[in-house]
Amino acid sequence: MSSSSLSPAGRLSGSDGDSPADTHRREKRRLSNRESARRSRLRKQQHLDELVQEVARLQAENARVAARAADIAAQYARVEQENTVLRARAAELGDRLRSVNEVLRVVEEFSGVAMDIQDEQPADDPLLRPWQLPYPAAAMPIGATAAHMLHY
């Protein structure tokens, strides 16, 4: 395979007039370029393979996180529903207590016997304020050690 391009000296290179050293140098350079291109293709393929693995790993992690988020959302919905039921029950029980207290007051008025009438709602009931702590955070006891926290 002889090429026919002009050399800087103005003569055709690749012709039969080249010295064996020039031909050898050219062939050596051609082989070096091929090897370099082959290594470059291998590096590119390896990088692509690593990226594909990274995509697969991230997609799996994303699926795990999405599933965990869905589980937490479902758990939150269950707890919220339970809280709604409990609040309605607390309101109903408060209404019943008010009714019973009214009856006791009437009985107390007509019988003259002192009745132990409980206040309808204690002013400082922490169960009615679940978003507030019953005591300051600084005074809150710590019930677990680091060893307890590490066991699942």
Side-chain angles (χ1 to χ4, degrees):
M1 167 173 161
S2 67
S3 65
S4 59
S5 62
L6 288 177
S7 66
R11 63 180 179 87
L12 288 175
S13 65
S15 63
D16 293 336
D18 285 343
S19 70
D22 289 341
T23 305
H24 179 69
R25 231 185 344 260
R26 198 170 28 254
E27 188 61 30
K28 186 176 177 184
R29 187 70 201 145
R30 192 176 310 143
L31 288 174
S32 174
N33 285 346
R34 282 184 191 156
E35 183 60 26
S36 177
R38 185 187 68 79
R39 285 192 310 266
S40 177
R41 285 190 302 272
L42 286 176
R43 279 192 308 270
K44 186 176 180 181
Q45 184 62 47
Q46 183 180 11
H47 183 65
L48 180 63
D49 292 344
E50 290 170 0
L51 290 175
V52 167
Q53 289 175 353
E54 180 75 5
V55 165
R57 185 187 66 76
L58 290 173
Q59 285 174 337
E61 182 179 348
N62 191 20
R64 273 193 312 276
V65 169
R68 179 77 173 126
D71 289 345
I72 290 171
Q75 183 179 6
Y76 174 80
R78 283 191 303 273
V79 168
E80 188 65 30
Q81 182 180 16
E82 184 179 344
N83 281 345
T84 301
V85 169
L86 291 174
R87 284 186 187 108
R89 188 170 174 203
E92 178 187 344
L93 291 174
D95 290 343
R96 283 185 182 182
L97 180 61
R98 277 189 289 285
S99 295
V100 168
N101 284 341
E102 287 176 19
V103 169
L104 287 176
R105 282 189 189 95
V106 169
V107 168
E108 186 178 46
E109 270 183 43
F110 288 111
S111 71
V113 177
M115 299 285 171
D116 185 22
I117 301 175
Q118 181 182 356
D119 289 335
E120 292 180 19
Q121 289 184 354
D124 197 25
D125 188 358
L127 294 177
L128 297 176
R129 295 176 288 108
W131 56 90
Q132 295 176 346
L133 293 175
Y135 37 82
M140 186 184 297
I142 299 175
T145 65
H148 290 110
M149 303 293 265
L150 297 176
H151 295 288
Y152 290 108

